[in-house]
Amino acid sequence: MSLRYALLGLLAETPQTGYDLTQKFGKVLSRYAWSASHSQVYPELRKMTEDGLVTLVGEGARGSRTYAVTAEGRSRLRAWLMRPPEEAPARNEFVLRLFLLTALEPAEAAAMVKQLTLESEREIEVLRAAVAKPEAESGWYRYAAEFGIRWYTMQRDWAEWVTGEVANELPRAAAPPDPE
Amino acid sequence: MSLRYALLGLLAETPQTGYDLTQKFGKVLSRYAWSASHSQVYPELRKMTEDGLVTLVGEGARGSRTYAVTAEGRSRLRAWLMRPPEEAPARNEFVLRLFLLTALEPAEAAAMVKQLTLESEREIEVLRAAVAKPEAESGWYRYAAEFGIRWYTMQRDWAEWVTGEVANELPRAAAPPDPE
DNA sequence: CGGCTCATGTAAAGAGTTACATGATTTG
DNA sequence: CAAATCATGTAACTCTTTACATGAGCCG
């Protein structure tokens, strides 16, 4: 069901084609939130049309089909967004790897974290640059980039903290520093 | 494949049963990293045994079967952990909802964020308490809890920032009337 | 006009969830 | 001794990925 709402949410921003939507999954959303390939997107748009949540508002070059959210779709989306959060399991292979870091020898873990720190810093640079550009897209893309910056920063800090803890190997030592 | 490595990683910490592993998914891992139900765990442990990654080290009361990682399994796990990170798509319905927040009217978004802030603060309290307890489990559980604290803090801060931005933005350009 | 990107579609295989099913041990 | 929890297993269904497939428009 999440796919459906992801599509609805993206279309609520602006009407677009299945191709456009697929690009957004691939480029931004898939990193933190949700992912889908075109083979899932196109059939889902069909079903959503049948269910009256979206509607075809134009056909362009190369057989492109532009969809927009209907009133019904918009109200369903709002209802979904406003409903109290129940725990939905997350899947993030990257975080999984972070969590299993303790299965490595301290030196190996330290090497991995070093790598991670470099990657994170590079990534943060890219996102900062993207946000700083004057022609930066507004709306959710900018917010997503900002999320990414905070995400990578948090991740890096945590990984460095863990490495320190593991290196110290003091079973029950210092309390973690207050984040913030 | 991630499931396989998640199991390997947990078993690398200590030998345990499929039931134990399922509990860990349900309680901690599923929130940030990975999730699996027993109907996935048991068959996978079988396959991993056939593949020589884990081995049955004991059968206890109520037909419980305790597994441990083999040398082969350990080396495979290390290889997986150390390999350069390629982008693996993440799935997090919660983050998805955050990203689609901009589909709401500013007032609605603000209400949602208010709610989120309260939840986050409650959650952070719980995790802090869990970590502070002297008999707190050490190892990855403690690290995971620390991750959670930082995660909720980051999330809350971002959501508050976005709400501020949205509130400041000029009223949206005359939105096209809903098709239908 | 050849190669790239845009743009859509379907089929098969794999991963994951939900439901069904059973029995042993512990705890009150 | 009843209820809860421990503990495992399989089947059906849904969701997701990967592979196969096709063609239109754009750019050099």
Side-chain angles (χ1 to χ4, degrees), chain A residues 1 16 23 25 37 62 95 122:
Chain A
M1 273 302 89
Q16 52 197 309
Q23 299 300 310
F25 277 118
S37 58
R62 290 175 258 194
V95 174
R122 201 176 319 140

Side-chain angles (χ1 to χ4, degrees), chain A residues 30 33 78 83 92 97 108, chain B residues 33 78 83 90 92 97 108:
Chain A
S30 76
R78 279 189 48 230
R83 88 175 183 214
N92 189 325
R97 284 169 72 176
E108 286 178 320
Chain B
R78 279 189 48 230
R83 87 172 184 217
N92 189 324
R97 285 167 73 176
E108 286 178 320

Side-chain angles (χ1 to χ4, degrees), chain B residues 114-135:
Chain B
K114 176 85 187 185
Q115 197 58 36
L116 167 71
T117 299
L118 293 174
E119 299 264 5
S120 298
E121 249 131 45
R122 202 176 318 139
E123 209 57 58
I124 289 168
E125 268 326 295
V126 170
L127 289 169
R128 267 206 229 287
V131 171
K133 267 192 282 186
E135 47 347 318

Side-chain angles (χ1 to χ4, degrees), chain A residues 2 30 33-34 74 78 80-81 83 90-93 97 108 142-143 146 158 161 165 172 176 180, chain B residues 2 30 33-34 78 80 83 90-93 97 108 136 138 142-143 146 156 158 161 165 169:
Chain A
S2 291
S30 76
W34 210 260
R74 211 172 276 273
R78 279 189 48 230
W80 183 75
L81 285 170
R83 88 175 183 214
R91 281 168 197 288
N92 189 325
E93 190 186 297
R97 284 169 72 176
E108 286 178 320
R142 200 173 124 252
Y143 301 138
E146 176 69 24
W158 178 84
W161 170 78
E165 292 291 305
R172 187 87 353 153
E180 201 186 4
Chain B
S2 291
S30 76
W34 211 260
R78 279 189 48 230
W80 182 76
R83 87 172 184 217
R91 280 167 197 289
N92 189 324
E93 190 185 297
R97 285 167 73 176
E108 286 178 320
S138 62
R142 198 173 128 254
Y143 301 136
E146 176 66 24
R156 180 204 56 196
W158 178 83
W161 171 79
E165 291 292 305
E169 257 175 38

Side-chain angles (χ1 to χ4, degrees), chain A residues 2 5-6 9-10 12-13 29-35 55 57 68-72 74 77-78 80-85 87-100 102-104 108 112 119 140 142-144 146-147 150-151 154 157-158 161-162 165-166 172 174 176-180, chain B residues 2 5-6 9-10 12-13 29-35 77-78 80-100 102-104 108 112 119 128 131 134-138 140 142-144 146-147 149-151 153-154 156-158 161-162 165-166 169 178-180:
Chain A
S2 291
Y5 292 109
L10 293 177
E13 184 100 348
L29 276 175
S30 76
R31 228 185 256 203
Y32 319 106
W34 210 260
S35 160
T55 182
V57 292
V69 185
T70 63
E72 167 69 7
R74 211 172 276 273
L77 173 64
R78 279 189 48 230
W80 183 75
L81 285 170
M82 300 293 288
R83 88 175 183 214
E87 338 208 336
R91 281 168 197 288
N92 189 325
E93 190 186 297
F94 193 78
V95 174
L96 175 63
R97 284 169 72 176
L98 287 183
F99 276 25
L100 300 183
T102 51
L104 294 172
E108 286 178 320
M112 186 186 148
E119 298 263 7
W140 76 265
R142 200 173 124 252
Y143 301 138
E146 176 69 24
F147 185 91
R150 290 164 188 250
W151 164 250
M154 182 277 270
D157 292 350
W158 178 84
W161 170 78
V162 170
E165 292 291 305
V166 169
R172 187 87 353 153
D178 258 25
E180 201 186 4
Chain B
S2 291
Y5 292 108
L10 293 177
E13 184 101 347
L29 276 175
S30 76
R31 230 185 255 205
Y32 319 106
W34 211 260
S35 159
L77 172 63
R78 279 189 48 230
W80 182 76
L81 284 171
M82 300 293 287
R83 87 172 184 217
E86 63 229 39
E87 338 208 334
R91 280 167 197 289
N92 189 324
E93 190 185 297
F94 193 78
V95 174
L96 175 63
R97 285 167 73 176
L98 286 184
F99 275 26
L100 300 183
T102 51
L104 294 173
E108 286 178 320
M112 187 186 146
E119 299 264 5
R128 267 206 229 287
V131 171
E135 47 347 318
E137 285 174 68
S138 62
W140 76 266
R142 198 173 128 254
Y143 301 136
E146 176 66 24
F147 185 91
I149 292 170
R150 291 166 187 249
W151 163 248
T153 305
M154 182 278 269
R156 180 204 56 196
D157 292 350
W158 178 83
W161 171 79
V162 171
E165 291 292 305
V166 169
E169 257 175 38
D178 269 322
E180 206 185 4

